[in-house]
Amino acid sequence: ISLVVDRLVREEPQPPSRVAGNDSPVPSKRLRGDLDAIVQRCMRKSPCDRYPTVDALRADLQYWRAHRPVEARRGSTGYALRRWLWRHRFGVAATMLLFIVLLGGLGAALWQAQRAQHQAWRAERVKELVLSVFREQDPLSRPGTQSRTPVELIGDGLAAIDHELKGDPALHAELLDDFGEIQGNL
């Protein structure tokens, strides 16, 4: 008997979640966490470590039912944050979903802007190439007095395409196809 009394006096009791068995009316999983802390605070050896009043115990039990941080587990920021996230889980989920949708929209807009910029760059290259081929036909800027035939112009255009567009195979092939069709028609 003295060993049992000595043990009761010196050791803190085990949390209820460890003591609850399989035949317990409340599963041990439900007792873990806040309820363990509340019961252990009630059973502390030192009276100053226990709840000061029954109202304080009642308040902690009401906080537990409302998924709010209980006084028995105060001090941990992570704990308070988990409780807050649990209480506001639907709002947090909706906010995260909105954030993901916004990020996806931003990514799509940036991708489209990059594609548009690339297309504008390609169009500018094609314009410069075509204008350089036909610029010699302008009577005011032509160095000689004799104009070239359309077949010569297309031949010069094909040479310019081969020289200017080596680095862009898709545009090179597209313009060769178009100029080749015009040359074939002439």
Side-chain angles (χ1 to χ4, degrees), residues 42-54:
C42 290
M43 295 172 44
R44 296 254 165 84
K45 300 294 179 198
S46 173
C48 62
D49 291 337
R50 296 183 207 141
Y51 285 103
T53 64
V54 174

PDB file of all heavy atoms in Angstrom, residues 42-54:
ATOM      1  N   CYS A  42      -6.590  19.504 -14.173  1.00  0.00           N
ATOM      2  CA  CYS A  42      -7.453  19.285 -13.004  1.00  0.00           C
ATOM      3  C   CYS A  42      -6.782  18.392 -11.958  1.00  0.00           C
ATOM      4  O   CYS A  42      -7.030  18.531 -10.763  1.00  0.00           O
ATOM      5  CB  CYS A  42      -8.770  18.631 -13.423  1.00  0.00           C
ATOM      6  SG  CYS A  42      -9.854  19.687 -14.362  1.00  0.00           S
ATOM      7  N   MET A  43      -5.916  17.479 -12.397  1.00  0.00           N
ATOM      8  CA  MET A  43      -5.336  16.492 -11.493  1.00  0.00           C
ATOM      9  C   MET A  43      -3.905  16.824 -11.067  1.00  0.00           C
ATOM     10  O   MET A  43      -3.215  15.986 -10.500  1.00  0.00           O
ATOM     11  CB  MET A  43      -5.374  15.123 -12.183  1.00  0.00           C
ATOM     12  CG  MET A  43      -6.799  14.653 -12.421  1.00  0.00           C
ATOM     13  SD  MET A  43      -6.968  13.170 -13.436  1.00  0.00           S
ATOM     14  CE  MET A  43      -5.755  12.082 -12.826  1.00  0.00           C
ATOM     15  N   ARG A  44      -3.422  18.023 -11.353  1.00  0.00           N
ATOM     16  CA  ARG A  44      -2.055  18.386 -10.961  1.00  0.00           C
ATOM     17  C   ARG A  44      -1.880  18.326  -9.456  1.00  0.00           C
ATOM     18  O   ARG A  44      -2.812  18.575  -8.683  1.00  0.00           O
ATOM     19  CB  ARG A  44      -1.729  19.800 -11.449  1.00  0.00           C
ATOM     20  CG  ARG A  44      -1.727  19.941 -12.946  1.00  0.00           C
ATOM     21  CD  ARG A  44      -0.317  20.067 -13.491  1.00  0.00           C
ATOM     22  NE  ARG A  44      -0.273  19.848 -14.924  1.00  0.00           N
ATOM     23  CZ  ARG A  44      -0.513  20.763 -15.841  1.00  0.00           C
ATOM     24  NH1 ARG A  44      -0.819  21.984 -15.478  1.00  0.00           N
ATOM     25  NH2 ARG A  44      -0.429  20.464 -17.101  1.00  0.00           N
ATOM     26  N   LYS A  45      -0.670  18.018  -9.029  1.00  0.00           N
ATOM     27  CA  LYS A  45      -0.366  17.885  -7.600  1.00  0.00           C
ATOM     28  C   LYS A  45      -0.439  19.229  -6.878  1.00  0.00           C
ATOM     29  O   LYS A  45      -1.020  19.337  -5.810  1.00  0.00           O
ATOM     30  CB  LYS A  45       1.040  17.297  -7.402  1.00  0.00           C
ATOM     31  CG  LYS A  45       1.212  15.932  -8.001  1.00  0.00           C
ATOM     32  CD  LYS A  45       0.347  14.932  -7.300  1.00  0.00           C
ATOM     33  CE  LYS A  45       0.520  13.570  -7.953  1.00  0.00           C
ATOM     34  NZ  LYS A  45      -0.545  12.687  -7.632  1.00  0.00           N
ATOM     35  N   SER A  46       0.121  20.239  -7.490  1.00  0.00           N
ATOM     36  CA  SER A  46       0.156  21.558  -6.857  1.00  0.00           C
ATOM     37  C   SER A  46      -1.156  22.299  -7.122  1.00  0.00           C
ATOM     38  O   SER A  46      -1.575  22.442  -8.278  1.00  0.00           O
ATOM     39  CB  SER A  46       1.326  22.359  -7.420  1.00  0.00           C
ATOM     40  OG  SER A  46       1.285  23.673  -6.949  1.00  0.00           O
ATOM     41  N   PRO A  47      -1.815  22.799  -6.096  1.00  0.00           N
ATOM     42  CA  PRO A  47      -3.082  23.519  -6.285  1.00  0.00           C
ATOM     43  C   PRO A  47      -2.944  24.763  -7.160  1.00  0.00           C
ATOM     44  O   PRO A  47      -3.870  25.117  -7.883  1.00  0.00           O
ATOM     45  CB  PRO A  47      -3.497  23.905  -4.864  1.00  0.00           C
ATOM     46  CG  PRO A  47      -2.778  22.965  -3.975  1.00  0.00           C
ATOM     47  CD  PRO A  47      -1.512  22.611  -4.670  1.00  0.00           C
ATOM     48  N   CYS A  48      -1.792  25.392  -7.152  1.00  0.00           N
ATOM     49  CA  CYS A  48      -1.635  26.594  -7.983  1.00  0.00           C
ATOM     50  C   CYS A  48      -1.544  26.248  -9.472  1.00  0.00           C
ATOM     51  O   CYS A  48      -1.725  27.111 -10.325  1.00  0.00           O
ATOM     52  CB  CYS A  48      -0.430  27.413  -7.532  1.00  0.00           C
ATOM     53  SG  CYS A  48       1.134  26.548  -7.676  1.00  0.00           S
ATOM     54  N   ASP A  49      -1.267  24.988  -9.820  1.00  0.00           N
ATOM     55  CA  ASP A  49      -1.215  24.553 -11.219  1.00  0.00           C
ATOM     56  C   ASP A  49      -2.575  24.102 -11.735  1.00  0.00           C
ATOM     57  O   ASP A  49      -2.737  23.875 -12.930  1.00  0.00           O
ATOM     58  CB  ASP A  49      -0.220  23.395 -11.373  1.00  0.00           C
ATOM     59  CG  ASP A  49       1.214  23.838 -11.164  1.00  0.00           C
ATOM     60  OD1 ASP A  49       1.491  25.049 -11.327  1.00  0.00           O
ATOM     61  OD2 ASP A  49       2.054  22.977 -10.839  1.00  0.00           O
ATOM     62  N   ARG A  50      -3.557  23.947 -10.853  1.00  0.00           N
ATOM     63  CA  ARG A  50      -4.900  23.521 -11.255  1.00  0.00           C
ATOM     64  C   ARG A  50      -5.729  24.731 -11.673  1.00  0.00           C
ATOM     65  O   ARG A  50      -5.290  25.866 -11.563  1.00  0.00           O
ATOM     66  CB  ARG A  50      -5.596  22.816 -10.080  1.00  0.00           C
ATOM     67  CG  ARG A  50      -4.924  21.553  -9.652  1.00  0.00           C
ATOM     68  CD  ARG A  50      -5.721  20.882  -8.548  1.00  0.00           C
ATOM     69  NE  ARG A  50      -4.811  20.091  -7.734  1.00  0.00           N
ATOM     70  CZ  ARG A  50      -4.874  19.978  -6.438  1.00  0.00           C
ATOM     71  NH1 ARG A  50      -5.829  20.587  -5.756  1.00  0.00           N
ATOM     72  NH2 ARG A  50      -4.009  19.240  -5.786  1.00  0.00           N
ATOM     73  N   TYR A  51      -6.951  24.454 -12.138  1.00  0.00           N
ATOM     74  CA  TYR A  51      -7.879  25.552 -12.462  1.00  0.00           C
ATOM     75  C   TYR A  51      -8.211  26.290 -11.171  1.00  0.00           C
ATOM     76  O   TYR A  51      -8.512  25.656 -10.154  1.00  0.00           O
ATOM     77  CB  TYR A  51      -9.167  25.016 -13.095  1.00  0.00           C
ATOM     78  CG  TYR A  51      -8.982  24.574 -14.531  1.00  0.00           C
ATOM     79  CD1 TYR A  51      -8.881  23.229 -14.864  1.00  0.00           C
ATOM     80  CD2 TYR A  51      -8.911  25.509 -15.546  1.00  0.00           C
ATOM     81  CE1 TYR A  51      -8.709  22.828 -16.161  1.00  0.00           C
ATOM     82  CE2 TYR A  51      -8.735  25.111 -16.867  1.00  0.00           C
ATOM     83  CZ  TYR A  51      -8.639  23.776 -17.169  1.00  0.00           C
ATOM     84  OH  TYR A  51      -8.462  23.391 -18.465  1.00  0.00           O
ATOM     85  N   PRO A  52      -8.214  27.615 -11.199  1.00  0.00           N
ATOM     86  CA  PRO A  52      -8.498  28.358  -9.964  1.00  0.00           C
ATOM     87  C   PRO A  52      -9.958  28.244  -9.533  1.00  0.00           C
ATOM     88  O   PRO A  52     -10.255  28.254  -8.342  1.00  0.00           O
ATOM     89  CB  PRO A  52      -8.131  29.798 -10.320  1.00  0.00           C
ATOM     90  CG  PRO A  52      -8.113  29.865 -11.800  1.00  0.00           C
ATOM     91  CD  PRO A  52      -7.842  28.489 -12.299  1.00  0.00           C
ATOM     92  N   THR A  53     -10.875  28.125 -10.515  1.00  0.00           N
ATOM     93  CA  THR A  53     -12.306  28.031 -10.187  1.00  0.00           C
ATOM     94  C   THR A  53     -12.982  27.038 -11.115  1.00  0.00           C
ATOM     95  O   THR A  53     -12.436  26.656 -12.148  1.00  0.00           O
ATOM     96  CB  THR A  53     -13.008  29.405 -10.363  1.00  0.00           C
ATOM     97  OG1 THR A  53     -12.949  29.771 -11.746  1.00  0.00           O
ATOM     98  CG2 THR A  53     -12.366  30.484  -9.505  1.00  0.00           C
ATOM     99  N   VAL A  54     -14.196  26.678 -10.744  1.00  0.00           N
ATOM    100  CA  VAL A  54     -14.996  25.802 -11.598  1.00  0.00           C
ATOM    101  C   VAL A  54     -15.370  26.535 -12.883  1.00  0.00           C
ATOM    102  O   VAL A  54     -15.442  25.925 -13.953  1.00  0.00           O
ATOM    103  CB  VAL A  54     -16.265  25.336 -10.842  1.00  0.00           C
ATOM    104  CG1 VAL A  54     -17.180  24.551 -11.754  1.00  0.00           C
ATOM    105  CG2 VAL A  54     -15.880  24.500  -9.632  1.00  0.00           C
TER     106      VAL A  54
END
